[in-house]
Amino acid sequence: MRKEQKHEVVSALAERMKESGNFYITDTSSLTVAKINNIRRKCFENQIGIQVVKNTLIRKALEQLDGDVAPLFDVLKGSSSVMFSTNANAPAKLIKELRKAKEEKPVLKAAYVDSTVFIGDNQLDALVNLKSREELIGEIIGLLQSPAKNVISALSSGGNKLAGIVKTLQEREG
C-alpha cells in the first residue's frame, strides 16, 4: 500500500470513528472465511459497520480523535477489526449473541463509547447493559410526563370541587 493510500484509509477510518461516536476494537484472528462472513452479515443486519485494519493505521486514526484515546494504543496487537455503531451497545450485544452460538471470537480488546474507554473482554457485560441515547431520552420523557399528568389530573378533577366551593360560598353570602 502506497503512502497516499494509507493516508486515505486513516482519514476515512478517523472520520468513521468520529461519525459513529462508538467503536469497538476486536480480535477476529484465526476465524474461517465462513465465520468472518457470518459476522459481517450479522453486523450488516444490526446496522454495525466492521472493518479489518492494520494496527498502525488504527493508531494513526485514533491520534486524530479528540479526547483521551491513549489507553487504546496498548490493545493494538495481533489482528484487529473495528466495529462501528451509532448505538452504543449494539456491537456488545452482537458479540454476546455470537458467544451464545459457541463462538470464541470476536474477543473484545477495547471499546470507545461516547468518549469513555473500556479495556478488555471482561467489560462486555457492562457494555451490553449500557442504555442507548434513545432509551435514555424515552425514560426521561416518561419521567417528565408522569408528574405533568398528575398535575393535569388534579387540576381537572379539582375544577369541579373548586366550582362547588365557589357556588357554596355564593349561596352563603346570598
Side-chain angles (χ1 to χ4, degrees):
M1 191 181 290
R2 293 191 325 253
K3 192 173 185 176
E4 302 85 35
Q5 291 172 319
K6 287 180 182 178
H7 181 69
E8 288 175 18
V9 169
V10 168
S11 296
L13 187 60
E15 187 62 32
R16 201 166 179 192
M17 288 175 173
K18 289 175 188 174
E19 282 178 9
S20 68
N22 310 301
F23 58 89
Y24 289 51
I25 301 172
T26 62
D27 176 9
T28 55
S29 63
S30 72
L31 290 177
T32 65
V33 173
K35 288 183 179 181
I36 290 285
N37 286 339
N38 181 45
I39 291 171
R40 287 183 188 276
R41 187 176 1 3
K42 292 208 181 269
C43 283
F44 180 76
E45 291 169 0
N46 291 292
Q47 289 87 38
I48 300 169
I50 186 167
Q51 186 174 356
V52 178
V53 188
K54 288 186 174 185
N55 290 324
T56 54
L57 301 179
I58 295 172
R59 183 182 180 101
K60 288 181 182 186
L62 289 172
E63 289 170 352
Q64 294 182 15
L65 297 179
D66 297 330
D68 183 24
V69 293
L72 296 173
F73 297 154
D74 295 336
V75 302
L76 297 175
K77 298 175 181 108
S79 177
S80 297
S81 300
V82 184
M83 300 172 93
F84 308 92
S85 177
T86 54
N87 185 340
N89 63 0
K93 287 180 179 179
L94 178 62
I95 292 170
K96 198 81 164 175
E97 178 186 321
L98 291 167
R99 296 267 178 86
K100 286 180 184 175
K102 305 287 189 242
E103 296 292 338
E104 295 177 14
K105 294 194 176 183
V107 173
L108 179 66
K109 291 181 174 185
Y112 183 84
V113 177
D114 290 328
S115 303
T116 305
V117 175
F118 296 84
I119 303 291
D121 197 56
N122 59 342
Q123 298 292 319
L124 193 59
D125 288 331
L127 289 164
V128 167
N129 293 325
L130 282 178
K131 294 194 178 192
S132 70
R133 178 173 280 127
E134 291 78 18
E135 290 171 329
L136 289 173
I137 290 171
E139 283 186 14
I140 290 170
I141 289 171
L143 290 171
L144 292 173
Q145 282 180 342
S146 181
K149 285 181 182 176
N150 291 342
V151 169
I152 291 170
S153 175
L155 288 174
S156 64
S157 67
N160 295 336
K161 291 178 185 175
L162 189 59
I165 292 170
V166 169
K167 187 175 180 182
T168 304
L169 290 175
Q170 283 177 340
E171 290 173 359
R172 277 190 193 170
E173 291 175 6

